[in-house]
Amino acid sequence: MKNILVKGPQKLQGSVKVSGAKNAALPIIAASLLTEKVVKLNNVPNLSDTQAMLDILESLGAKIKRYENTLEIKCDYISESKVGYELAERLRASVLYCGSLLGRFNKSSVSLPGGCAIGSRPIDQHINGFKALGAVVKISEGNINLDGELVGTDYHFSVKTVTGSANVIFAAVLASGRTTLTNVALEPEITDLCNFLIAIGAKIEGVGTGRLIIDGVKSLRGGEYSIMQDRIEAGTFLVGALITDGKVSISDFDFESNEPLLNKLRECGSVLAKEGNSITVSRGDYMVPVDIVTGEHPGFPTDLQAQFMVLNIILAGHSTIEEKIFENRFMHAAELSRMGAKIKVVGNIAHIDGGEHLLGTTVSSSDLRASIALILAGLAAKGETRVTNLHHLYRGYEKPVEKFAKLGVILEQEDI
Ligand code: EPZ
């Protein structure tokens, strides 16, 4: 892995093609296990996280062909229903194989996903959903062991959870009878997943709402599907345009699913230009920092919190960012303070006195979104910023250095 050296200040200017959504691709890859027919997926981002999910699928016996961002997956002969620690611990989304193995084979054994830097990441909602559908759940030696013929039921999520919703949907699509899920996550990636499942024959009503009615089918067919655009990557570059006082255009932009971000971009005074399905963002004459409270969709996405913190640091004025999804997602604040930012974290609220000129220094990434936020801070700073621990970055951003170059920014890479 290399460090990235950012010589600032540099402006992001131009247009960039955003990749497919990581958080839609990961559950859809796991869902391909639900059918024995060939599934063709387009616009799959080439990331270390998607590769990790494919490695697990291959270890179970799936046949996978990949060319650029297209995958052909065939799970006609699955020899294994167990996912071991070595493969599962590489990413938390491995937990999604609980639901897809259980849904297809009525049993699964998956190594428990660990917590991570940003939080403990419990899975009680996943497990309660499997139990409600009739699975016997045994946790032993660090594995979640599920077993049982699944029967449709009513299940209410007491907490909105993205991967929890995906996991229980997987278990329900082949169960016998009707399942009604309530308080399902409203993230656009769950809508994308449901649209994929319907494309291969699942019977799901209420897509895009918090209430899904799923009628179990005997089996699913094959099909072809294109993954939605990554709204977090798109938002990252749009906020980057404001941080660096540049101008960025993104095509194929889904305005509806990005409403939470667009509201904040308007509120801080940026100029938004819409042309067909393209958006162009640049600073307005009078920019102000805005208060952010993260929340489940349609709340402000926690995955854009770090990027927006950098913007609030650049703009003169006081603002607060309240992180309501994860218990420890402000680690980038300490790194940004080392660049000269004035941030005080009290509990789950960061208080920011913006308008400071940042100075380049060496900073360390703590998680995927922090890594890109530190790069953006380096672009706004004077001098050289060395960003380390970049394995986080490549988990969720495809060809980041090339994309920044497309936007007129040179990021040097340093061997370590
Ligand atoms: C998904 O994580 C995303 N990951 C995260 O993206 C994203 O930040 C998060 O949703 C919120 O939008 C993927 O989709 C692979 P949750 P997930 O379950 O599903 C609590 C990124 O940077 N909870 O929606 O793990 C939990 O503690 C990553 O791309 C329970 O209490 O998040 C948290 O407070 C980071 N019990 C809240 O719900 C459960 O059983 C939301 O977590 C499950 C979750």
Side-chain angles (χ1 to χ4, degrees):
M1 195 52 63
K2 300 172 187 279
N3 293 333
I4 280 188
L5 298 179
V6 190
K7 287 195 171 62
Q10 295 187 61
K11 290 178 187 281
L12 288 175
Q13 284 177 316
S15 59
V16 66
K17 182 170 177 353
V18 171
S19 297
K22 167 179 86 80
N23 291 347
L26 299 179
I28 289 174
I29 288 170
S32 60
L33 190 68
L34 288 164
T35 178
E36 60 179 24
K37 306 292 186 199
V38 173
V39 160
K40 186 176 178 188
L41 301 176
N42 302 308
N43 201 32
V44 181
N46 202 345
L47 307 165
S48 54
D49 269 13
T50 46
Q51 190 52 54
M53 284 300 271
L54 293 169
D55 291 347
I56 293 174
L57 204 51
E58 210 157 33
S59 75
L60 297 170
K63 300 177 193 80
I64 301 168
K65 284 186 208 145
R66 165 168 234 155
Y67 21 96
E68 291 179 3
N69 295 104
T70 295
L71 288 176
E72 261 189 28
I73 301 173
K74 191 169 187 188
C75 299
D76 56 340
Y77 176 68
I78 294 297
S79 54
E80 185 57 75
S81 63
K82 191 173 169 36
V83 179
Y85 177 76
E86 289 65 35
L87 286 170
E89 63 92 21
R90 287 168 62 186
L91 83 166
R92 287 190 36 72
S94 55
V95 72
L96 290 163
Y97 283 108
C98 294
S100 57
L101 282 165
L102 178 67
R104 172 90 180 269
F105 302 108
N106 292 331
K107 69 174 181 160
S108 71
S109 173
V110 178
S111 176
L112 265 167
C116 69
I118 62 177
S120 59
R121 313 296 288 273
I123 57 168
D124 54 296
Q125 300 298 311
H126 305 230
I127 288 173
N128 294 342
F130 297 143
K131 280 183 181 166
L133 282 159
V136 174
V137 181
K138 279 199 195 79
I139 293 183
S140 67
E141 293 160 17
N143 297 317
I144 318 165
N145 302 302
L146 304 172
D147 207 331
E149 299 277 329
L150 302 182
V151 178
T153 184
D154 296 347
Y155 177 64
H156 176 81
F157 288 93
S158 52
V159 174
K160 271 192 168 52
T161 156
V162 176
T163 47
S165 298
N167 239 341
V168 180
I169 290 168
F170 293 160
V173 291
L174 294 169
S176 53
R178 170 167 287 192
T179 296
T180 302
L181 301 178
T182 48
N183 201 28
V184 175
L186 298 173
E187 271 68 10
E189 292 76 15
I190 293 297
T191 297
D192 214 35
L193 168 65
C194 289
N195 290 336
F196 162 71
L197 289 168
I198 291 167
I200 60 171
K203 294 200 178 331
I204 306 174
E205 284 169 33
V207 175
T209 74
R211 185 170 186 271
L212 296 181
I213 296 177
I214 301 172
D215 286 317
V217 292
K218 281 260 170 295
S219 64
L220 294 169
R221 56 176 184 263
E224 182 167 356
Y225 193 75
S226 285
I227 308 281
M228 67 178 271
Q229 182 183 83
D230 194 315
R231 63 191 170 103
I232 303 303
E233 180 180 334
T236 298
F237 286 118
L238 295 177
V239 177
L242 302 176
I243 290 168
T244 60
D245 194 9
K247 188 172 189 175
V248 169
S249 298
I250 289 173
S251 54
D252 304 324
F253 185 77
D254 181 340
F255 286 82
E256 195 189 333
S257 67
N258 282 292
E259 202 46 42
L261 166 68
L262 294 173
N263 286 336
K264 287 297 171 184
L265 294 181
R266 291 184 196 105
E267 191 184 334
C268 71
S270 53
V271 174
L272 306 180
K274 180 178 188 300
E275 201 177 325
N277 66 4
S278 289
I279 184 171
T280 300
V281 169
S282 55
R283 282 191 189 182
D285 297 336
Y286 183 64
M287 295 290 290
V288 289
V290 290
D291 293 343
I292 299 273
V293 180
T294 66
E296 299 89 356
H297 194 81
F300 187 87
T302 174
D303 295 346
L304 284 174
Q305 177 254 100
Q307 300 89 317
F308 231 95
M309 181 180 281
V310 178
L311 180 59
N312 279 357
I313 289 166
I314 301 291
L315 300 176
H318 180 78
S319 62
T320 58
I321 295 184
E322 187 176 358
E323 173 54 60
K324 296 188 82 170
I325 300 290
F326 292 115
E327 60 264 37
N328 187 31
R329 203 172 197 176
F330 282 140
M331 286 166 288
H332 43 281
E335 298 303 305
L336 292 164
S337 301
R338 298 183 58 251
M339 298 176 74
K342 294 233 175 320
I343 309 170
K344 192 163 183 299
V345 175
V346 180
N348 68 336
I349 300 179
H351 298 263
I352 299 155
D353 283 323
E356 294 303 319
H357 292 293
L358 298 179
L359 293 175
T361 184
T362 296
V363 288
S364 169
S365 310
S366 49
D367 67 270
L368 160 57
R369 308 304 173 181
S371 61
I372 199 90
L374 293 171
I375 291 173
L376 295 177
L379 292 174
K382 266 170 107 167
E384 182 176 86
T385 299
R386 171 181 287 103
V387 186
T388 65
N389 264 351
L390 281 173
H391 59 284
H392 293 297
L393 178 69
Y394 293 98
R395 289 190 45 207
Y397 288 90
E398 184 179 31
K399 298 183 182 162
V401 174
E402 293 82 345
K403 284 186 175 126
F404 275 106
K406 189 95 175 53
L407 292 169
V409 158
I410 306 303
L411 298 180
E412 290 170 33
Q413 298 188 66
E414 172 193 66
D415 286 318
I416 39 180

